């Protein structure tokens, strides 16, 4: 937070890593709750740029993301029950936003905490751990439709499928780098990453990534707070004041 090139930036609410080629030669893009962007790079003064706000302004931005192609930016204004789309020219998001939802808006949008986008498919994660999937329609005759809640298909013994998992209360989700179509979720209390395959019928659980049990008992004393993937398939996990990583994650 601070004042950069004449623009005030409040407390940062989310960050994303950027591809090497972009308008500001930045490596990280951050955002505050009022839609101010902060482009950051090593040993260079950060550059702040405010997003063009919707006509009624912002109510309370909870998160933002780039789609898997790193071209468009999506802003979750949970308090307003909206997701806004910005087209990017070399990650310069100067245009006015478009609304993602049409007449069908998912229920309890104020409880949404995170989002991930792959092509025209948007996935929203809610505080209770359930997920809503919406597919953007680019045709006037066909509205954007949502599946709310999306079924999590759990084929493990003595487990049940449903809108949430019995052993998972997720706080974040993301896609890995293309062409991997899997969705990954953070379960903070067990410091685990759950991998799902998105399909029309729901999200199919494919497996989990966890630290070896002896390592976890020795190193993990608090819940995990964040995770992400690098383009070369490294998984980074933040626990307490440390960041751990695993290479060659399938």
């Amino acid at each position: 937070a601070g004042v950069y090139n004449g623009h005030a930036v409040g407390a940062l609410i989310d960050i994303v890593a950027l591809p090497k080629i972009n308008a500001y030669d930045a490596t990280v893009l951050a955002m505050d709750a009022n839609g101010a962007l902060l482009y950051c790079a090593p040993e260079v003064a950060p550059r702040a740029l405010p997003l063009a706000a919707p006509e009624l302004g912002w109510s309370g931005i909870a998160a933002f993301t780039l789609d898997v192609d790193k071209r468009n930016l999506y802003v979750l204004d949970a308090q307003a029950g909206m997701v806004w789309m910005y087209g990017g020219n070399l990650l310069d998001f100067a245009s006015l936003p478009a609304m993602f939802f049409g007449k069908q808006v998912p229920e309890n949008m104020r409880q949404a905490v995170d989002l991930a986008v792959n092509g025209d498919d948007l996935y929203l994660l809610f505080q209770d751990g359930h997920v809503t999937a919406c597919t953007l329609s680019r045709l006037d005759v066909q509205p954007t439709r949502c599946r709310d809640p999306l079924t999590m298909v759990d084929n493990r013994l003595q487990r049940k499928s449903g809108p949430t998992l019995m052993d998972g209360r997720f706080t974040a989700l993301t896609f890995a780098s293309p062409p991997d179509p899997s969705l990954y979720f953070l379960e903070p209390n067990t410091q685990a990453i759950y991998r799902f395959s998105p399909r029309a019928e729901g999200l199919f659980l494919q497996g989990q990534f966890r630290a070896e049990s002896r390592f976890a008992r020795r190193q993990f004393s608090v819940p995990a707070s964040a995770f992400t993937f690098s383009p070369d398939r490294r998984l980074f996990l933040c626990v307490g004041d440390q960041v751990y990583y695993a290479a060659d994650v399938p």
Side-chain angles (χ1 to χ4, degrees):
V3 178
Y4 304 93
N5 53 280
H7 297 291
V9 178
L12 304 179
I13 54 96
D14 208 353
I15 61 174
V16 296
L18 297 179
K20 291 182 178 180
I21 300 176
N22 60 78
Y24 303 105
D25 295 324
T27 54
V28 173
L29 177 63
M31 184 185 292
D32 71 5
N34 297 311
L37 297 177
L38 194 62
Y39 292 85
C40 304
E43 301 179 4
V44 178
R47 180 179 178 86
L49 289 171
L51 280 171
E55 184 176 350
L56 297 179
W58 301 109
S59 296
I61 297 174
F64 82 103
T65 192
L66 300 177
D67 58 22
V68 295
D69 295 326
K70 307 296 185 182
R71 295 179 180 175
N72 303 311
L73 184 146
Y74 295 77
V75 179
L76 170 60
D77 189 345
Q79 293 301 311
M82 297 295 297
V83 172
W84 296 95
M85 305 179 294
Y86 290 83
N89 179 17
L90 288 178
L91 303 179
D92 181 8
F93 305 101
S95 60
L96 289 169
M99 292 188 297
F100 187 92
F101 302 121
K103 294 181 179 179
Q104 184 185 5
V105 179
E107 296 182 358
N108 301 317
M109 278 294 294
R110 289 193 174 191
Q111 306 300 315
V113 296
D114 203 4
L115 74 169
V117 181
N118 185 3
D120 290 335
D121 295 324
L122 166 73
Y123 295 86
L124 286 168
L125 176 64
F126 289 78
Q127 289 179 6
D128 65 358
H130 88 267
V131 177
T132 293
C134 301
T135 300
L136 178 67
S137 174
R138 301 184 185 276
L139 302 174
D140 293 337
V141 296
Q142 181 177 342
T144 294
R145 298 191 181 278
C146 298
R147 290 167 286 163
D148 181 26
L150 199 60
T151 299
M152 292 185 174
V153 181
D154 190 346
N155 292 320
R156 293 174 295 174
L157 292 176
Q158 299 181 340
R159 300 298 171 91
K160 294 182 179 180
S161 301
T164 60
L165 294 187
M166 296 173 58
D167 60 341
R169 184 59 62 90
F170 304 124
T171 56
L173 80 166
T174 190
F175 283 100
S177 56
D180 184 2
S182 299
L183 256 179
Y184 297 84
F185 291 78
L186 172 65
E187 210 302 322
N189 295 313
T190 57
Q191 300 94 10
I193 307 299
Y194 285 63
R195 179 185 181 185
F196 288 86
S197 175
R199 304 178 193 175
E201 312 93 286
L203 295 174
F204 284 71
L205 180 62
Q206 300 295 308
Q208 300 179 42
F209 302 103
R210 298 193 186 204
E212 192 272 334
S213 58
R214 287 180 295 177
F215 178 90
R217 288 195 298 267
R218 186 172 65 250
Q219 298 290 336
F220 294 167
S221 59
V222 297
S225 58
F227 82 114
T228 193
F229 284 91
S230 66
D232 63 353
R233 306 297 300 176
R234 289 175 186 258
L235 168 63
F236 292 88
L237 181 68
C238 182
V239 182
D241 58 1
Q242 287 288 345
V243 174
Y244 302 87
Y245 75 91
D248 301 322
V249 175

